[in-house]
Amino acid sequence: MNIVILSRNPHLYSTKRLVEEAKERGHSVEVIDPLKCDIIIEKEKPTIYYRDRYLDYVDAIIPRIGASITFYGCAVVRQFEMMGAFSIVSSGSILRSRDKLKSLQLLSKAGVGMPKTVFTNYSRDAKEVLAHVGGAPVIIKLLEGTQGLGVVLAETKNAAESVLEAFNGLEARVIVQEFISEAKGADLRALVVDGQVVGAMKRQGKEGEFRSNLHRGGSADIIKLSDDEIRLAMESARALKLPVCGVDMLQSSRGPLLLEVNSTPGLEGIEGATGKNIAKSIISFIERNKK
Protein backbone atom coordinates (compact mmCIF):
# COMPACT_ATOMS: atom_id res chain seq x y z
CA MET A 1 0.00 0.00 0.00
CA ASN A 2 1.19 3.54 -0.76
CA ILE A 3 0.80 5.74 2.31
CA VAL A 4 1.47 9.48 2.49
CA ILE A 5 2.00 11.32 5.76
CA LEU A 6 1.11 14.99 5.41
CA SER A 7 3.63 16.68 7.69
CA ARG A 8 5.82 19.77 7.43
CA ASN A 9 8.59 18.16 9.49
CA PRO A 10 9.71 14.57 8.82
CA HIS A 11 11.87 14.64 11.96
CA LEU A 12 9.01 15.00 14.44
CA TYR A 13 8.57 12.01 16.76
CA SER A 14 5.01 11.26 15.62
CA THR A 15 5.91 11.42 11.94
CA LYS A 16 8.98 9.21 12.35
CA ARG A 17 7.06 6.60 14.35
CA LEU A 18 4.32 6.37 11.74
CA VAL A 19 6.95 5.96 9.00
CA GLU A 20 8.67 3.21 11.01
CA GLU A 21 5.49 1.24 11.60
CA ALA A 22 4.27 1.58 8.02
CA LYS A 23 7.60 0.24 6.71
CA GLU A 24 7.62 -2.49 9.37
CA ARG A 25 4.29 -3.71 8.00
CA GLY A 26 5.54 -3.72 4.41
CA HIS A 27 4.03 -0.51 3.08
CA SER A 28 5.58 2.17 0.91
CA VAL A 29 5.47 5.45 2.84
CA GLU A 30 6.63 9.01 2.21
CA VAL A 31 6.37 12.29 4.09
CA ILE A 32 5.00 15.21 2.08
CA ASP A 33 4.76 18.87 3.05
CA PRO A 34 1.13 19.86 2.36
CA LEU A 35 2.13 23.48 1.74
CA LYS A 36 4.24 22.37 -1.23
CA CYS A 37 1.36 20.56 -2.91
CA ASP A 38 -0.39 22.12 -5.90
CA ILE A 39 -4.10 21.34 -6.06
CA ILE A 40 -5.20 20.85 -9.66
CA ILE A 41 -8.94 21.16 -10.17
CA GLU A 42 -10.15 19.74 -13.44
CA LYS A 43 -13.37 18.14 -14.65
CA GLU A 44 -13.57 14.54 -13.39
CA LYS A 45 -9.83 14.50 -12.75
CA PRO A 46 -8.83 16.04 -9.40
CA THR A 47 -5.08 15.70 -8.92
CA ILE A 48 -2.23 16.89 -6.72
CA TYR A 49 1.18 17.87 -8.04
CA TYR A 50 4.14 17.72 -5.65
CA ARG A 51 7.55 18.95 -6.75
CA ASP A 52 8.16 16.88 -9.89
CA ARG A 53 5.28 14.40 -9.97
CA TYR A 54 1.54 13.78 -9.71
CA LEU A 55 0.40 12.03 -6.54
CA ASP A 56 -2.12 9.80 -8.30
CA TYR A 57 -0.85 6.57 -6.78
CA VAL A 58 -1.68 7.22 -3.10
CA ASP A 59 -3.87 4.68 -1.30
CA ALA A 60 -4.09 6.33 2.12
CA ILE A 61 -3.04 9.50 3.90
CA ILE A 62 -2.26 10.39 7.51
CA PRO A 63 -2.83 14.13 8.04
CA ARG A 64 -0.50 15.77 10.55
CA ILE A 65 -1.90 19.24 9.91
CA GLY A 66 -0.80 21.97 12.32
CA ALA A 67 -3.31 24.58 13.43
CA SER A 68 -1.46 27.36 11.60
CA ILE A 69 -2.01 25.68 8.20
CA THR A 70 -5.52 24.35 8.78
CA PHE A 71 -7.11 26.01 5.73
CA TYR A 72 -4.63 24.89 3.08
CA GLY A 73 -3.83 21.61 4.82
CA CYS A 74 -7.49 20.62 4.83
CA ALA A 75 -7.81 21.62 1.18
CA VAL A 76 -5.03 19.13 0.37
CA VAL A 77 -6.69 16.41 2.50
CA ARG A 78 -10.01 17.07 0.73
CA GLN A 79 -8.33 16.76 -2.68
CA PHE A 80 -6.84 13.39 -1.73
CA GLU A 81 -10.30 12.28 -0.59
CA MET A 82 -11.74 13.29 -3.98
CA MET A 83 -9.01 11.22 -5.63
CA GLY A 84 -10.16 8.15 -3.70
CA ALA A 85 -7.43 7.99 -1.05
CA PHE A 86 -8.44 6.88 2.45
CA SER A 87 -7.72 9.39 5.23
CA ILE A 88 -7.59 8.42 8.91
CA VAL A 89 -9.50 11.65 9.62
CA SER A 90 -11.56 13.54 7.07
CA SER A 91 -10.95 17.15 6.08
CA GLY A 92 -14.39 18.05 7.42
CA SER A 93 -13.68 16.47 10.79
CA ILE A 94 -10.38 18.33 11.14
CA LEU A 95 -12.11 21.63 10.41
CA ARG A 96 -14.89 20.76 12.84
CA SER A 97 -12.48 19.97 15.67
CA ARG A 98 -10.37 23.11 15.07
CA ASP A 99 -13.45 25.32 15.55
CA LYS A 100 -13.51 25.28 19.36
CA LEU A 101 -16.91 26.90 19.63
CA LYS A 102 -18.60 24.68 17.04
CA SER A 103 -17.04 21.52 18.48
CA LEU A 104 -18.24 22.40 22.00
CA GLN A 105 -21.74 23.04 20.65
CA LEU A 106 -21.79 19.66 18.88
CA LEU A 107 -20.42 17.86 21.94
CA SER A 108 -22.96 19.55 24.19
CA LYS A 109 -25.79 18.42 21.92
CA ALA A 110 -24.39 14.86 22.02
CA GLY A 111 -24.69 14.89 25.82
CA VAL A 112 -20.96 14.98 26.59
CA GLY A 113 -20.16 16.36 30.06
CA MET A 114 -18.00 19.49 30.08
CA PRO A 115 -17.19 22.50 32.28
CA LYS A 116 -19.85 25.20 32.15
CA THR A 117 -18.89 27.41 29.21
CA VAL A 118 -19.98 30.84 27.98
CA PHE A 119 -19.30 32.54 24.67
CA THR A 120 -20.35 36.11 24.01
CA ASN A 121 -19.85 38.58 21.20
CA TYR A 122 -17.49 41.12 22.79
CA SER A 123 -19.88 41.66 25.70
CA ARG A 124 -19.03 44.65 27.86
CA ASP A 125 -20.96 43.16 30.77
CA ALA A 126 -18.18 40.96 32.20
CA LYS A 127 -20.06 40.53 35.49
CA GLU A 128 -22.92 38.80 33.71
CA VAL A 129 -20.58 36.48 31.81
CA LEU A 130 -18.84 35.45 35.04
CA ALA A 131 -22.18 34.85 36.75
CA HIS A 132 -23.13 32.34 34.03
CA VAL A 133 -20.18 30.09 34.97
CA GLY A 134 -20.53 30.50 38.74
CA GLY A 135 -18.05 33.32 39.28
CA ALA A 136 -14.27 33.40 39.71
CA PRO A 137 -11.92 31.65 39.41
CA VAL A 138 -12.49 31.04 35.69
CA ILE A 139 -10.55 29.89 32.66
CA ILE A 140 -10.53 32.28 29.70
CA LYS A 141 -9.50 30.81 26.34
CA LEU A 142 -8.85 32.39 22.98
CA LEU A 143 -10.85 30.53 20.34
CA GLU A 144 -7.74 30.36 18.15
CA GLY A 145 -5.31 29.24 20.87
CA THR A 146 -3.47 25.89 20.78
CA GLN A 147 -1.15 23.87 23.06
CA GLY A 148 -2.06 25.92 26.12
CA LEU A 149 -1.34 29.26 24.44
CA GLY A 150 -4.06 31.88 24.82
CA VAL A 151 -5.37 30.27 28.01
CA VAL A 152 -5.61 32.38 31.16
CA LEU A 153 -6.60 31.49 34.73
CA ALA A 154 -8.32 34.45 36.32
CA GLU A 155 -8.41 33.75 40.04
CA THR A 156 -10.49 36.73 41.17
CA LYS A 157 -13.53 38.59 39.90
CA ASN A 158 -11.47 41.74 39.27
CA ALA A 159 -8.79 39.81 37.38
CA ALA A 160 -11.38 38.06 35.22
CA GLU A 161 -13.13 41.33 34.38
CA SER A 162 -9.79 42.95 33.47
CA VAL A 163 -8.80 40.08 31.17
CA LEU A 164 -12.20 40.04 29.47
CA GLU A 165 -12.11 43.80 28.97
CA ALA A 166 -8.61 43.55 27.47
CA PHE A 167 -9.62 40.79 25.04
CA ASN A 168 -12.81 42.64 24.13
CA GLY A 169 -10.76 45.77 23.43
CA LEU A 170 -8.64 43.75 21.01
CA GLU A 171 -11.77 42.21 19.50
CA ALA A 172 -10.36 38.78 20.32
CA ARG A 173 -13.05 36.12 20.62
CA VAL A 174 -12.86 34.07 23.80
CA ILE A 175 -14.80 31.47 25.74
CA VAL A 176 -15.11 31.53 29.52
CA GLN A 177 -15.20 28.25 31.45
CA GLU A 178 -15.66 27.35 35.07
CA PHE A 179 -12.44 26.38 36.85
CA ILE A 180 -12.42 22.77 38.08
CA SER A 181 -10.31 23.13 41.21
CA GLU A 182 -10.44 19.45 42.20
CA ALA A 183 -8.52 18.54 39.01
CA LYS A 184 -5.46 20.10 40.71
CA GLY A 185 -3.65 21.05 37.51
CA ALA A 186 -3.98 17.60 35.94
CA ASP A 187 -5.92 16.23 33.00
CA LEU A 188 -6.36 12.93 31.18
CA ARG A 189 -5.53 12.25 27.54
CA ALA A 190 -7.24 9.28 25.90
CA LEU A 191 -6.01 8.24 22.47
CA VAL A 192 -8.82 6.90 20.29
CA VAL A 193 -8.16 4.78 17.19
CA ASP A 194 -11.02 3.33 15.15
CA GLY A 195 -13.50 4.40 17.81
CA GLN A 196 -11.71 2.56 20.65
CA VAL A 197 -9.44 3.87 23.41
CA VAL A 198 -5.99 2.36 22.76
CA GLY A 199 -4.02 4.26 25.42
CA ALA A 200 -4.45 6.80 28.19
CA MET A 201 -2.22 8.96 30.36
CA LYS A 202 -2.59 11.43 33.18
CA ARG A 203 -0.76 14.71 32.62
CA GLN A 204 0.22 16.80 35.62
CA GLY A 205 1.23 20.44 35.29
CA LYS A 206 4.42 21.54 36.98
CA GLU A 207 4.12 23.28 40.33
CA GLY A 208 2.31 26.59 40.04
CA GLU A 209 1.08 25.83 36.49
CA PHE A 210 -2.61 25.10 35.89
CA ARG A 211 -1.95 23.89 32.33
CA SER A 212 -0.79 20.29 32.02
CA ASN A 213 0.69 20.44 28.50
CA LEU A 214 3.87 18.36 28.37
CA HIS A 215 5.78 20.94 26.33
CA ARG A 216 5.16 23.41 29.18
CA GLY A 217 7.02 21.21 31.65
CA GLY A 218 4.23 18.86 32.66
CA SER A 219 4.72 15.15 33.35
CA ALA A 220 2.77 12.11 32.16
CA ASP A 221 2.01 8.70 33.63
CA ILE A 222 -0.07 5.77 32.47
CA ILE A 223 -3.57 5.58 33.93
CA LYS A 224 -6.45 3.12 33.81
CA LEU A 225 -9.57 4.99 32.80
CA SER A 226 -12.91 4.44 34.49
CA ASP A 227 -15.88 3.22 32.48
CA ASP A 228 -17.30 6.78 32.48
CA GLU A 229 -14.01 8.20 31.20
CA ILE A 230 -13.80 5.62 28.41
CA ARG A 231 -17.41 6.33 27.48
CA LEU A 232 -16.77 10.10 27.36
CA ALA A 233 -13.73 9.64 25.11
CA MET A 234 -15.57 7.39 22.67
CA GLU A 235 -18.72 9.57 22.60
CA SER A 236 -16.61 12.68 21.95
CA ALA A 237 -14.77 11.05 19.06
CA ARG A 238 -18.06 9.83 17.62
CA ALA A 239 -19.77 13.24 17.95
CA LEU A 240 -17.00 14.95 15.95
CA LYS A 241 -16.65 12.01 13.51
CA LEU A 242 -12.99 11.53 14.37
CA PRO A 243 -11.96 7.84 14.25
CA VAL A 244 -8.43 8.85 15.34
CA CYS A 245 -8.04 11.62 17.92
CA GLY A 246 -6.84 12.62 21.35
CA VAL A 247 -9.55 13.39 23.92
CA ASP A 248 -8.58 15.59 26.86
CA MET A 249 -10.72 15.52 29.99
CA LEU A 250 -10.73 16.55 33.64
CA GLN A 251 -11.58 14.49 36.69
CA SER A 252 -14.21 16.35 38.70
CA SER A 253 -16.55 15.75 41.61
CA ARG A 254 -19.39 15.26 39.12
CA GLY A 255 -17.53 12.85 36.84
CA PRO A 256 -15.23 13.29 33.84
CA LEU A 257 -15.56 16.58 31.95
CA LEU A 258 -14.36 17.17 28.41
CA LEU A 259 -11.71 19.80 27.73
CA GLU A 260 -11.14 19.40 24.00
CA VAL A 261 -10.65 16.92 21.17
CA ASN A 262 -7.43 16.99 19.13
CA SER A 263 -7.67 15.72 15.55
CA THR A 264 -3.87 15.35 15.16
CA PRO A 265 -2.64 14.18 18.59
CA GLY A 266 1.07 13.76 19.21
CA LEU A 267 2.33 10.24 19.90
CA GLU A 268 5.49 10.90 21.91
CA GLY A 269 3.84 11.56 25.27
CA ILE A 270 1.25 8.78 25.07
CA GLU A 271 3.67 6.12 23.78
CA GLY A 272 6.26 7.12 26.37
CA ALA A 273 3.80 7.05 29.27
CA THR A 274 1.95 3.88 28.31
CA GLY A 275 4.61 1.85 26.52
CA LYS A 276 1.98 1.05 23.87
CA ASN A 277 2.58 1.03 20.14
CA ILE A 278 -0.01 3.62 19.11
CA ALA A 279 1.59 4.15 15.69
CA LYS A 280 1.04 0.46 14.90
CA SER A 281 -2.63 0.78 15.86
CA ILE A 282 -3.04 3.65 13.38
CA ILE A 283 -1.38 1.74 10.52
CA SER A 284 -3.52 -1.32 11.32
CA PHE A 285 -6.61 0.89 11.18
CA ILE A 286 -5.64 1.96 7.66
CA GLU A 287 -5.12 -1.66 6.61
CA ARG A 288 -8.56 -2.71 7.86
CA ASN A 289 -10.29 0.13 6.02
CA LYS A 290 -8.45 -0.28 2.71
CA LYS A 291 -9.32 -3.98 2.64
Side-chain angles (χ1 to χ4, degrees):
M1 191 186 310
N2 294 311
I3 298 175
V4 158
I5 301 173
L6 294 172
S7 172
R8 299 209 65 205
N9 186 350
H11 304 296
L12 292 176
Y13 177 91
S14 300
T15 303
K16 289 194 297 183
R17 285 288 297 117
L18 289 163
V19 168
E20 290 169 2
E21 288 303 322
K23 289 182 176 178
E24 179 69 23
R25 297 179 70 82
H27 302 297
S28 173
V29 59
E30 58 184 318
V31 179
I32 284 176
D33 183 345
L35 293 188
K36 294 180 180 177
C37 291
D38 293 332
I39 297 172
I40 301 174
I41 301 170
E42 186 179 355
K43 183 180 178 181
E44 298 180 352
K45 191 183 178 183
T47 53
I48 291 177
Y49 189 77
Y50 179 73
R51 291 182 172 167
D52 59 349
R53 65 193 187 280
Y54 292 98
L55 302 180
D56 53 4
Y57 52 86
V58 178
D59 297 306
I61 62 171
I62 303 175
R64 302 291 307 170
I65 306 295
S68 63
I69 64 165
T70 296
F71 177 79
Y72 197 80
C74 283
V76 172
V77 173
R78 186 162 54 246
Q79 190 79 347
F80 272 115
E81 292 169 338
M82 293 171 64
M83 292 163 61
F86 171 74
S87 178
I88 64 167
V89 287
S90 71
S91 56
S93 295
I94 296 172
L95 288 169
R96 195 178 299 118
S97 69
R98 292 281 165 83
D99 186 332
K100 287 185 182 178
L101 181 60
K102 183 177 182 178
S103 63
L104 287 174
Q105 290 173 312
L106 292 170
L107 291 160
S108 173
K109 183 180 179 181
V112 174
M114 62 185 69
K116 195 176 295 183
T117 303
V118 174
F119 172 71
T120 185
N121 190 36
Y122 309 135
S123 171
R124 299 192 180 280
D125 194 346
K127 294 183 178 65
E128 187 176 292
V129 173
L130 295 176
H132 285 313
V133 295
V138 295
I139 300 293
I140 302 172
K141 297 180 180 180
L142 280 171
L143 283 179
E144 293 81 15
T146 61
Q147 296 184 322
L149 298 174
V151 181
V152 177
L153 168 62
E155 300 190 65
T156 67
K157 175 174 167 289
N158 287 340
E161 290 178 359
S162 296
V163 172
L164 283 173
E165 288 170 3
F167 279 136
N168 286 341
L170 296 171
E171 295 191 351
R173 297 186 184 276
V174 299
I175 55 175
V176 181
Q177 289 185 323
E178 66 173 313
F179 178 62
I180 308 300
S181 59
E182 58 266 37
K184 298 179 180 177
D187 70 9
L188 308 181
R189 159 66 63 92
L191 210 298
V192 175
V193 177
D194 201 8
Q196 301 295 318
V197 176
V198 296
M201 62 179 173
K202 183 172 185 176
R203 303 182 298 188
Q204 179 68 56
K206 65 181 180 181
E207 188 174 351
E209 174 61 73
F210 71 96
R211 293 164 293 189
S212 59
N213 306 73
L214 298 184
H215 79 286
R216 305 192 72 87
S219 59
D221 295 292
I222 189 171
I223 188 173
K224 180 176 174 60
L225 298 180
S226 68
D227 290 344
D228 286 343
E229 289 160 352
I230 292 173
R231 191 177 303 113
L232 182 144
M234 293 169 61
E235 288 176 352
S236 300
R238 194 178 306 121
L240 296 183
K241 299 179 181 179
L242 285 168
V244 177
C245 60
V247 180
D248 297 339
M249 63 190 103
L250 296 174
Q251 293 176 309
S252 80
S253 57
R254 60 181 190 267
L257 301 175
L258 180 84
L259 274 178
E260 64 179 354
V261 182
N262 190 326
S263 56
T264 53
L267 303 184
E268 186 170 10
I270 193 85
E271 286 196 338
T274 65
K276 294 186 176 181
N277 192 336
I278 307 296
K280 180 180 178 181
S281 297
I282 292 173
I283 301 301
S284 297
F285 167 56
I286 293 173
E287 293 169 345
R288 290 194 299 273
N289 278 271
K290 281 307 293 181
K291 287 179 183 177

